[in-house]
Amino acid sequence: MWTIRDVAKRAGVSYTTVSHVLNNTRPVSEEKRVRVQAAIAEMNYVPSAPARSLKAKTTSTIGLVVPNNTNPYFAEFARGIEGSLKRRGYCVFLCNSDNNLVTQRECLRALHQNRIDGLIVASVDDDESVADDLAAVRVPVVIVDRPVAGLDADLVQIDHEAGAMLATQHLLDLGHTRIGCIAGERETVVSAIRVAGFKRAMAERGVEVLPDAIVEGNFTCPGGYAAARELFETVAPTAIFASNDMMAIGALRAAAERGLRIPADCSIIGFDDVEMSRYVYPALSTVGQAILRLGDAAANTLLERINGTVTGPARTHLIEPRLLVRESSAPWAA
């Protein structure tokens, strides 16, 4: 790997002259500038990013930690953040915590060592240790999707309860009363809030939540598939609200295996509006989060902190959900 001294030797100038040309820190004669630029081109020299960041005290890099980058929701979310930050001259280091608190801590430590300028995190958990781990990174932090207890940081998230209510109200409006709910992991805050929205919508319409009508999945297609099979065996719902699109897609599979027609025999609605929800058959009704918009909002919020255009107490940005009715939900004909 070429060094700045190798470039200086090739150009016949001092290494400080090369540094001034690269960083535009002092005037350099046109003749020397041309020689240095020619040497850089011939050698295909690339300046050391760590060395430049030490001098500039900035790296133009942002850390992004997500719990599962194979989940289309987080993949689309990361794409939104990366696109927004790239337009502003930043690159993104993406880390996958695999829904593991220890792995998340290792990700944060590695990002801190790479001198990132800021951090966006969709945390695995809201355990008290998470707040300590994030504070130790000592850069501006934006939390997305899942609140972290005890952390003074901006939060950007969809209104989870309002979204779950929208989905449930849609099913009630279609005449369904025997409604099952597929929740995420019991310990996650997001899952608890979405289930609360489901229950609230049912209560406001005076509709009873049937015993065993809420079954836990794990925000994955297999989890939704298993939960739906259980619901079909025990509750025989005419409609299902799944707490995310991946579980709803799993439920579509379980219904097909049972010979149920969607939506004639059972309506299914999800939450997230991931891209694939539009292309499964039947196309999935869902509550949309405008995922790219969510990523853009998180990026903008972080840059405001990095640039100092916003100071003061942490803020919460709630993005309003919207109902997207497609082919998987229809009126119930008793």
Side-chain angles (χ1 to χ4, degrees):
M1 181 180 293
W2 298 114
T3 68
I4 192 171
R5 293 184 182 275
D6 295 323
V7 174
K9 184 176 180 181
R10 175 75 64 92
V13 298
S14 68
Y15 77 88
T16 55
T17 297
V18 177
S19 177
H20 293 323
V21 171
L22 289 170
N23 300 302
N24 201 27
T25 48
R26 287 187 186 176
V28 174
S29 71
E30 185 62 23
E31 183 263 337
K32 287 184 178 180
R33 182 178 297 277
V34 169
R35 281 159 51 192
V36 169
Q37 291 173 338
I40 290 172
E42 291 169 7
M43 301 168 73
N44 198 25
Y45 170 73
V46 178
S48 166
R52 298 188 76 176
S53 68
L54 286 171
K55 186 176 184 65
K57 297 183 180 179
T58 182
T59 62
S60 295
T61 57
I62 301 298
L64 172 60
V65 181
V66 298
N68 180 4
N69 61 4
T70 64
N71 183 323
Y73 168 75
F74 288 111
E76 291 179 35
F77 171 68
R79 187 179 66 185
I81 286 178
E82 187 175 26
S84 182
L85 290 172
K86 186 177 181 180
R87 292 192 298 271
R88 294 162 172 83
Y90 286 83
C91 65
V92 177
F93 287 165
L94 173 62
C95 291
N96 177 33
S97 66
D98 280 326
N99 283 302
N100 183 284
L101 205 54
V102 174
T103 303
Q104 178 173 282
R105 185 171 297 123
E106 292 170 350
C107 289
L108 294 173
R109 187 178 297 115
L111 290 169
H112 182 43
Q113 290 172 349
N114 278 278
R115 297 173 52 83
I116 55 175
D117 292 341
L119 180 63
I120 299 173
V121 178
S123 181
V124 170
D125 205 343
D126 67 341
D127 184 272
E128 288 183 6
S129 65
V130 175
D132 293 336
D133 293 341
L134 291 169
V137 182
R138 298 183 180 179
V139 296
V141 177
V142 170
I143 303 299
V144 176
D145 194 50
R146 307 175 180 188
V148 174
L151 182 70
D152 185 28
D154 293 326
L155 171 67
V156 177
Q157 67 173 168
I158 189 76
D159 191 332
H160 297 292
E161 184 174 15
M165 290 186 69
L166 271 179
T168 308
Q169 288 164 351
H170 170 63
L171 297 177
L172 291 165
D173 289 342
L174 293 174
H176 297 279
T177 56
R178 197 173 187 84
I179 304 174
C181 174
I182 302 179
E185 295 98 336
R186 185 177 293 106
E187 63 273 13
T188 64
V189 175
V190 169
S191 177
I193 296 174
R194 292 183 183 181
V195 170
F198 165 73
K199 290 180 177 178
R200 181 179 168 187
M202 296 285 279
E204 287 185 357
R205 295 288 184 90
V207 179
E208 179 188 3
V209 177
L210 298 171
D212 303 319
I214 301 175
V215 180
E216 184 178 341
N218 58 2
F219 288 125
T220 66
C221 287
Y225 170 79
R229 289 190 63 178
E230 182 176 339
L231 284 172
F232 290 139
E233 286 290 338
T234 59
V235 178
T238 67
I240 292 175
F241 162 56
S243 295
N244 79 342
D245 287 346
M246 303 313 293
M247 293 192 295
I249 290 169
L252 289 176
R253 173 74 187 191
E257 288 185 355
R258 198 174 179 86
L260 297 175
R261 299 165 299 159
I262 305 296
D265 298 324
C266 181
S267 288
I268 295 177
I269 188 169
F271 194 125
D272 282 342
D273 189 29
V274 298
E275 187 175 31
M276 73 167 63
S277 69
R278 300 157 219 173
Y279 299 101
V280 294
Y281 183 79
L284 185 66
S285 292
T286 186
V287 175
Q289 293 208 46
I291 301 173
L292 294 179
R293 180 178 154 221
L294 187 70
D296 193 55
N300 288 336
T301 300
L302 182 62
L303 292 182
E304 287 173 345
R305 292 293 185 181
I306 291 173
N307 299 330
T309 55
V310 171
T311 58
R315 304 162 296 168
T316 296
H317 298 274
L318 272 183
I319 295 178
E320 290 300 315
R322 58 186 180 132
L323 178 67
L324 296 155
V325 179
R326 299 195 180 110
E327 301 166 353
S328 67
S329 58
W332 174 243

